Amino acid sequence: MPGSHLLPAWFSKSIVDDRTTMLTEPFVHGYVRANIWHLAGRDADLLVDTGMGICPLAPEIETPRGKPLLVVATHIHLDHVGSLHEFAWRAGPRMSAAQFESMDEAATYAYMFHDLEGAVSKLPAPGWKSAEYKIPPAPLTRTLDEGDVIDLGDRQFRVLHLPGHSPDSIALFDEADGLFFSGDAIYDDTLIDSLPDSDRAAYVSTMRRLLDLPIRIGHGGHGPSFDGKRMREIATAYIRQAGDS
């Protein structure tokens, strides 16, 4: 495995199907342990989100020499943009494009990791300290808005702006195949809507929109993958909970 001579066990890697690989960081605190998705396309590959950036991610992403790799950040929170700077072709939400240029901790919430108890269960390197964690700037080379299309040659993903968890949250939907990369807009785990930039009313609107999205399979920013029935259950439960609170 590329990079294994450097950090043999920081990332776990799961083969989802013949074109999709999921990576994650098993030794990172569960609160910021995000899913990283690598999808092989005909003309270009797609990488959705980049984890915490504690250890180099790029050596772990296997792409044929010379084949473009488009990396999409679904939003600017720390557990999704940590290694974004390692890649040349970086796309993300236009709404937060200015923050990607500096990786301002007020936008990424990197400061929350500094004092997080049990930040890691295994040190990535001798003397490593979570208090020294920083995310390098990663200016976007492409900004994404609602309705934009990412074309891999043999499949296209439409960008959906799905705020609530964060104001800039986007997702990618293959309308022909039903494949959905949802970031933190929706996933099959405890949804986070209490951050300073979260908006519960916007989240309810996002969930209502997702009720009608004809997905086949969803790959979220956290938790296991889900089908359309499960996504509607998650969305319905959130809407109901919001109505009760």
Side-chain angles (χ1 to χ4, degrees), residues 19-210:
R19 301 180 64 179
T20 312
T21 303
M22 188 197 83
L23 297 91
T24 192
E25 298 169 278
F27 303 110
V28 173
H29 191 290
Y31 187 70
V32 285
R33 185 187 307 134
N35 298 331
I36 302 162
W37 301 98
H38 178 205
L39 177 71
R42 186 191 69 201
D43 300 338
D45 280 9
L46 175 67
L47 189 68
V48 180
D49 290 329
T50 62
M52 290 287 293
I54 293 171
C55 293
L57 173 63
E60 303 294 331
I61 306 303
E62 301 173 26
T63 54
R65 181 179 293 275
K67 188 179 186 184
L69 174 68
L70 174 62
V71 184
V72 173
T74 59
H75 58 303
I76 200 172
H77 290 168
L78 72 165
D79 48 332
H80 298 264
V81 300
S83 284
L84 190 61
H85 67 282
E86 298 177 33
F87 302 93
W89 199 16
R90 302 182 294 266
R94 181 183 302 276
M95 176 181 290
S96 51
Q99 283 73 43
F100 279 89
E101 295 186 11
S102 64
M103 287 299 182
D104 179 2
E105 291 193 355
T108 66
Y109 296 126
Y111 64 86
M112 289 186 174
F113 192 60
H114 293 163
D115 300 316
L116 182 63
E117 185 175 352
V120 297
S121 58
K122 170 184 176 179
L123 289 180
W128 181 91
K129 296 181 177 64
S130 63
E132 298 172 358
Y133 173 76
K134 293 187 183 308
I135 302 174
L140 299 178
T141 58
R142 179 181 176 186
T143 56
L144 300 173
D145 286 314
E146 169 76 31
D148 287 347
V149 173
I150 291 171
D151 189 352
L152 304 183
D154 55 347
R155 67 193 315 161
Q156 292 77 40
F157 288 89
R158 188 162 304 278
V159 176
L160 307 180
H161 179 219
L162 300 172
H165 169 76
S166 72
D168 65 339
S169 283
I170 59 171
L172 307 178
F173 182 49
D174 181 337
E175 296 166 303
D177 177 65
L179 176 59
F180 184 47
F181 290 108
S182 62
D184 282 2
I186 192 167
Y187 52 87
D188 196 355
D189 205 341
T190 303
L191 299 176
I192 304 298
D193 64 0
S194 56
L195 294 167
D197 66 350
S198 298
D199 183 330
R200 292 175 182 171
Y203 221 166
V204 169
S205 296
T206 283
M207 294 300 176
R208 293 192 186 282
R209 181 179 183 187
L210 291 175

Side-chain angles (χ1 to χ4, degrees), residues 193 199-201 203-204 208 236-245:
D193 64 0
D199 183 330
R200 292 175 182 171
Y203 221 166
V204 169
R208 293 192 186 282
T236 300
Y238 185 88
I239 294 166
R240 184 181 303 119
Q241 177 188 14
D244 293 341
S245 61

